Amino acid sequence: MPRTAARPDVLVGTVFRGTWAVRTGLLTRAQLRSSAWRRLREDVYADAEQPDTHRLHARGACLVMPAGAALGGRTAAELHGLVDVAPVDLPVEVVLPPGVRWHPQPGLVVRTAPLDGDVVGRGPWLRWTSGENGRALLRESV
């Protein structure tokens, strides 16, 4: 009889860092490679039962982007509810504040812009550009 993949309740429906799941004893490295989890990027995994969407990849990017960064462009537009602007294969757009350096992994596009005041929206698990900053970055990415 085939073994079922380990699916701790705390990880069901989530996006998480693999090193954290292993360090806390929730999963082993071998269990991370099972069909229960989808690898989004290096050390970032999602529950494989979640649909593979741009929003899911944005959630994964938030786990590795620098503090103070925000999602921008088409990624932010998707989070604001615009439909069909960010397909799953489109790179996630990250905006860094001036002076912040980062060497992202593949699948991300990085821009630099001021991120202060009311130009950043906050969700339960991510930050994204809004207002004039977000519209300008969306125009640049089209």
Side-chain angles (χ1 to χ4, degrees), residues 69-121:
L71 300 171
R74 290 177 184 242
T75 301
E78 176 83 15
L79 296 171
H80 281 291
L82 284 153
V83 181
D84 296 330
V85 295
V88 68
D89 59 343
L90 186 77
V92 172
E93 296 186 46
V94 177
V95 182
L96 299 178
V100 174
R101 298 221 180 260
W102 181 41
H103 299 288
Q105 300 167 1
L108 299 171
V109 171
V110 176
R111 303 178 194 285
T112 299
L115 292 171
D116 50 338
D118 60 353
V119 299
V120 176

Side-chain angles (χ1 to χ4, degrees), residues 17-109:
R17 299 289 299 258
T19 51
W20 171 81
V22 170
R23 185 178 63 245
T24 59
L26 291 168
L27 296 172
T28 65
R29 288 186 185 275
Q31 289 169 327
L32 271 177
R33 292 188 297 270
S34 77
S35 60
W37 314 110
R38 175 183 292 121
R39 185 177 184 265
L40 299 178
R41 59 185 56 270
E42 184 179 327
D43 193 35
V44 177
Y45 296 83
D47 181 345
E49 292 184 3
Q50 295 184 83
D52 191 17
T53 63
H54 189 81
R55 180 181 287 260
L56 182 70
H57 288 267
R59 289 173 62 189
C62 286
L63 293 178
V64 296
M65 65 189 200
L71 300 171
R74 290 177 184 242
T75 301
E78 176 83 15
L79 296 171
H80 281 291
L82 284 153
V83 181
D84 296 330
V85 295
V88 68
D89 59 343
L90 186 77
V92 172
E93 296 186 46
V94 177
V95 182
L96 299 178
V100 174
R101 298 221 180 260
W102 181 41
H103 299 288
Q105 300 167 1
L108 299 171
V109 171

